[in-house]
Amino acid sequence: MKAFIHAKGKLAIKEMEAPVASKGEVVVSLKVAGLNRRDIAIPKRRGDEGEVLILGSDGAGVIESVGAGVTNVQAGDAVIINPALNWERNSDAPPQGFDILGMPDHGTLAEKIVIAADQVEKKPEHLSWEEAGVLALSALTGYRALFTKGNIKESDTVFIPGAGSGVATYLISFAKSIGARVIVTSRSEIKRKQAKELGADIVLDTNSDWPEELKEETIDLVIDSVGRATFNRSLEVLKRGGTIIVFGATTDDIVDLNLREFFYGQYKLLGSTMGSRQELYAMLELIENHNIRPVVDKIFDLEQAQKAMDYLEQGNQFGKVAIQISE
Ligand SMILES: NC(=O)c1ccc[n+]([C@@H]2O[C@H](COP(=O)([O-])OP(=O)(O)OC[C@H]3O[C@@H](n4cnc5c(N)ncnc54)[C@H](OP(=O)(O)O)[C@@H]3O)[C@@H](O)[C@H]2O)c1
């Protein structure tokens, strides 16, 4: 089978042996995989080291075969992959043993994947293959940040800088589905228009004067995964006593924090990361009940995976980048 791999500092399409399902496992013949920022970060982190690793965390496809003892799915079922490994029940933080598919285990940028049967879920029927293939990682992350950690309510206003991010597009749809007020920023005029179409109530230029633009607003919750470029400015528009949630830092991990202003403001800063299987189920129920569909920005073929990664790195996307693996 064909796979997009990283090995000894190089990215390449490689012919590999097709996997076989052992006890409790399934082989999924993938139709579409989804790219995440992590797929760009991993090769950088591994540098010139490391044996062959198939990248990719998100994917959707058809069960090709099942190993002994598998009862939740059967050959022919349409499924999505849950990339959050070994995290079943809700908890304040992921349990020991939690991992994300695509490192150290082989990921979804391949014609086939072998995975534990309980890491696949029935594909939501209202989604196309492309939509299903880009769903899990970002939508689960957004769900936990917004609902479990952020405890968002209908009467709340949430502020999200960097509307073009894959996770941000889910945050907009999820928050709007419960009737919350959504304010986003983007550096790009086109993306601001797209965010408005997706349902954002107010869209601002990331480079505008936020406190001035939002002086009439009360922001209960901020979800900032842009990092250094926006973190302190996000705090400036959060109401006193409000909550700011981070699960990423696209621009830089390190920020300067004025502790005096922080404690006088009585802000709450919470970290989040992906989510449990229970949260995945809750997210799937939400998207089914509200007919929420992922925003697929662009689709590349598996052979063009490197090009797709470059495209994602340039940051021109609004939403998710998909990799078509088979028809
Ligand atoms: N912890 C987890 O479980 C988890 C899961 C998923 C993602 N993440 C992290 O969350 C972050 C978001 O990921 P993603 O893939 O959805 O999006 P992404 O591709 O990292 O994009 C984030 C957005 O940040 C904005 N941005 C980038 N550079 C900026 C700059 N210099 N100034 C202002 N804004 C800037 C852009 O928005 P505009 O183009 O609209 O301006 C961009 O679309 C990443 O850091 C990712 O690693 C973490």
Side-chain angles (χ1 to χ4, degrees):
M1 67 164 187
K2 270 198 205 86
F4 182 64
I5 59 117
H6 182 253
K8 302 218 179 308
K10 291 205 167 53
L11 291 165
I13 296 282
K14 184 176 164 61
E15 195 60 41
M16 294 181 65
E17 212 161 291
V20 176
S22 302
K23 189 174 173 206
E25 293 179 334
V26 296
V27 170
V28 181
S29 174
L30 288 153
K31 287 190 179 284
V32 175
L35 281 193
N36 290 287
R37 193 136 281 269
R38 166 184 165 80
D39 302 315
I40 302 171
I42 287 172
K44 289 183 185 156
R45 224 180 296 151
R46 282 170 38 113
D48 291 339
E49 303 298 315
E51 294 306 314
V52 173
L53 171 72
I54 302 175
L55 296 167
S57 303
D58 278 329
V62 174
I63 299 282
E64 183 185 274
S65 59
V66 304
V70 171
T71 54
N72 60 325
V73 283
Q74 56 187 22
D77 284 353
V79 295
I80 60 163
I81 311 271
N82 172 10
L85 307 177
N86 310 316
W87 188 0
E88 289 175 22
R89 309 195 64 75
N90 285 352
S91 50
D92 287 343
Q96 204 68 28
F98 166 72
D99 250 321
I100 302 173
L101 186 68
M103 192 181 85
D105 293 354
H106 283 318
T108 52
L109 288 168
E111 287 175 316
K112 294 172 204 289
I113 185 171
V114 64
I115 191 162
D118 58 7
Q119 291 297 140
V120 299
E121 304 296 341
K122 295 263 161 69
K123 168 183 164 287
E125 281 181 9
H126 71 293
L127 300 187
S128 67
W129 282 111
E130 290 77 15
E131 291 165 341
V134 301
L135 177 71
L137 191 147
S138 298
L140 178 56
T141 304
Y143 184 91
R144 179 171 170 87
L146 202 57
F147 294 105
T148 313
K149 295 278 183 175
N151 198 19
I152 191 169
K153 297 181 294 300
E154 184 184 348
S155 54
D156 284 347
T157 297
V158 59
F159 177 78
I160 308 158
S165 125
V167 185
T169 51
Y170 290 110
L171 291 170
I172 296 170
S173 299
F174 293 175
K176 286 315 299 174
S177 77
I178 63 150
R181 187 163 169 76
V182 176
I183 302 174
V184 302
T185 81
S186 178
R187 297 163 300 169
S188 143
E189 194 180 340
I190 298 168
K191 292 190 199 182
R192 290 198 290 275
K193 194 163 166 273
Q194 288 170 300
K196 191 94 193 167
E197 281 162 13
L198 193 59
D201 297 283
I202 297 182
V203 295
L204 300 178
D205 186 337
T206 304
N207 296 316
S208 68
D209 182 351
W210 300 349
E212 175 60 26
E213 300 268 3
L214 300 176
K215 58 180 186 242
E216 307 292 326
E217 298 288 334
T218 303
I219 293 169
D220 306 283
L221 178 65
V222 169
I223 304 202
D224 188 329
S225 65
V226 177
R228 186 177 177 86
T230 54
F231 183 83
N232 274 301
R233 299 178 61 210
S234 288
L235 263 183
E236 273 183 60
V237 297
L238 179 61
K239 75 174 188 190
R240 292 185 144 225
T243 301
I244 180 164
I245 295 181
V246 294
F247 53 77
T250 299
T251 50
D252 197 339
D253 297 357
I254 310 295
V255 297
D256 302 314
L257 183 62
N258 183 320
L259 283 177
R260 193 162 301 277
E261 281 174 15
F262 190 82
F263 66 70
Y264 275 134
Q266 306 231 357
Y267 303 110
K268 297 184 276 289
L269 170 60
L270 299 178
S272 192
T273 240
M274 289 191 73
S276 66
R277 187 173 303 149
Q278 271 189 335
E279 284 160 320
L280 180 79
Y281 290 159
M283 181 275 285
L284 291 172
E285 197 179 323
L286 181 84
I287 67 161
E288 277 163 354
N289 289 345
H290 293 273
N291 197 24
I292 294 172
R293 312 173 79 99
V295 178
V296 182
D297 174 88
K298 211 168 174 152
I299 304 169
F300 293 82
D301 288 336
L302 183 59
E303 280 75 11
Q304 299 174 303
Q306 169 79 68
K307 237 176 148 181
M309 299 220 335
D310 295 344
Y311 177 73
L312 187 65
E313 185 146 31
Q314 283 153 17
N316 292 327
Q317 81 287 355
F318 181 80
K320 300 295 300 177
V321 174
I323 306 288
Q324 183 87 50
I325 297 175
S326 65
E327 288 299 324

